[in-house]
Amino acid sequence: MIAIAIDGPAGAGKSTIARAIAREMSFIYVDTGALYRAIGLYMIKNRMDDDELIVSSLNKIKVDLKFIDKEQKIFLCEREVSGEIRTPEVSMMASRVSAILAVREFLLDLQRGLAEKNNVIMDGRDIGTVILPDADVKIFLTASLEKRTDRRYKEMLEKGLNVTYDGILNDIKKRDYDDSHRKVAPLKLATDAVVVDTSEYNLEESINLVLDVIKKKLS
């Protein structure tokens, strides 16, 4: 099986680019951030504001990835929540729960199991450093803070969400800090990863850029 790991900060376009490449290569796409978002949604829905409480509740939480027509769908306690997890509130909670060691251990086997059984392209914060340290290809996808904020802001507006540019900017700044400073599996560049900066490229160009890196690494 072939494993491709894509890491990078919030708003870098990891999910969009990884999903497109997975279709092109007929790989399974695994959005690991969606798993943490699902647990974050569980915390919000159950009004949990205590890390110890979420840890003690993990045995009640069932998170599943299902692939329907090759599209990833997220299920939380048997209910599809693929749309519900894509809000700024859930995004911030996902960043918080991802710093909890017990949560990461809870999801580790699920993520590695998918890579053992399928050709995968997996994106997140610690795929190349922790989840799949032996991945065949490791990419660190990034872009300037301004570009990432602009892209995320437009994405939220297209979804009809009531957001402001400054609000998205501050959210991304906080996520950048939290993700790179957490004690457990922080966001960092794997020593053998290829850095791809998409600041000056549109989506199609970015996809082709990453695809070229993957093809060269696998050739």
Side-chain angles (χ1 to χ4, degrees):
M1 294 298 150
I2 297 173
I4 299 169
I6 298 184
D7 291 308
K14 297 185 301 297
S15 297
T16 302
I17 291 173
R19 187 180 292 109
I21 291 173
R23 287 198 198 100
E24 175 74 18
M25 299 181 69
S26 296
F27 277 31
I28 293 295
Y29 164 60
V30 183
D31 173 9
T32 61
L35 302 173
Y36 293 99
R37 285 172 178 268
I39 293 179
L41 178 64
Y42 184 92
M43 286 189 70
I44 292 169
K45 291 287 187 182
N46 291 277
R47 299 182 180 181
M48 294 182 178
D49 196 35
D50 181 88
D51 291 356
E52 291 184 6
L53 185 57
I54 187 62
V55 170
S56 66
S57 300
L58 286 174
N59 62 343
K60 302 176 185 176
I61 302 175
K62 183 179 181 183
V63 180
D64 284 322
L65 289 181
K66 296 182 181 179
F67 297 93
I68 302 172
D69 296 327
K70 294 187 178 182
E71 286 291 330
Q72 176 183 267
K73 302 294 183 182
I74 307 299
F75 289 78
L76 175 63
C77 300
E78 308 294 345
R79 188 171 68 86
E80 188 188 346
V81 293
S82 304
E84 288 182 68
I85 61 174
R86 301 297 175 181
T87 68
E89 182 185 14
V90 173
S91 178
M92 293 306 297
M93 189 60 77
S95 184
R96 175 179 169 179
V97 301
S98 68
I100 302 173
L101 178 59
V103 174
R104 304 197 75 85
E105 292 175 340
F106 176 71
L107 295 173
L108 181 61
D109 287 344
L110 172 59
Q111 295 170 81
R112 286 183 174 168
L114 288 166
E116 289 172 1
K117 299 172 184 176
N118 306 276
N119 290 324
V120 299
I121 180 164
M122 192 177 292
D123 76 76
R125 301 292 190 278
D126 64 341
I127 309 305
T129 54
V130 177
I131 307 301
L132 301 177
D134 298 321
D136 299 277
V137 182
K138 297 180 186 179
I139 292 171
F140 191 89
L141 190 68
T142 190
S144 68
L145 175 63
E146 293 74 17
K147 285 289 185 180
R148 289 187 286 130
T149 301
D150 186 57
R151 292 168 182 170
R152 182 60 58 86
Y153 178 59
K154 290 177 179 177
E155 178 188 352
M156 294 293 106
L157 289 181
E158 287 173 0
K159 291 180 179 179
L161 297 174
N162 184 23
V163 295
T164 65
Y165 182 89
D166 286 344
I168 296 295
L169 175 65
N170 291 331
D171 283 349
I172 290 181
K173 282 182 178 178
K174 186 176 188 308
R175 287 211 67 182
D176 283 354
Y177 182 86
D178 290 347
D179 290 344
S180 59
H181 287 78
R182 67 190 183 207
K183 293 181 180 179
V184 181
L187 169 67
K188 63 180 181 180
L189 177 66
T191 56
D192 52 348
V194 177
V195 178
V196 178
D197 189 322
T198 65
S199 299
E200 303 304 319
Y201 300 95
N202 62 31
L203 178 57
E204 183 178 356
E205 291 169 337
S206 298
I207 292 169
N208 289 332
L209 192 62
V210 174
L211 197 54
D212 284 346
V213 170
I214 292 170
K215 288 178 177 178
K216 287 178 183 177
K217 282 287 184 178
L218 293 178
S219 63

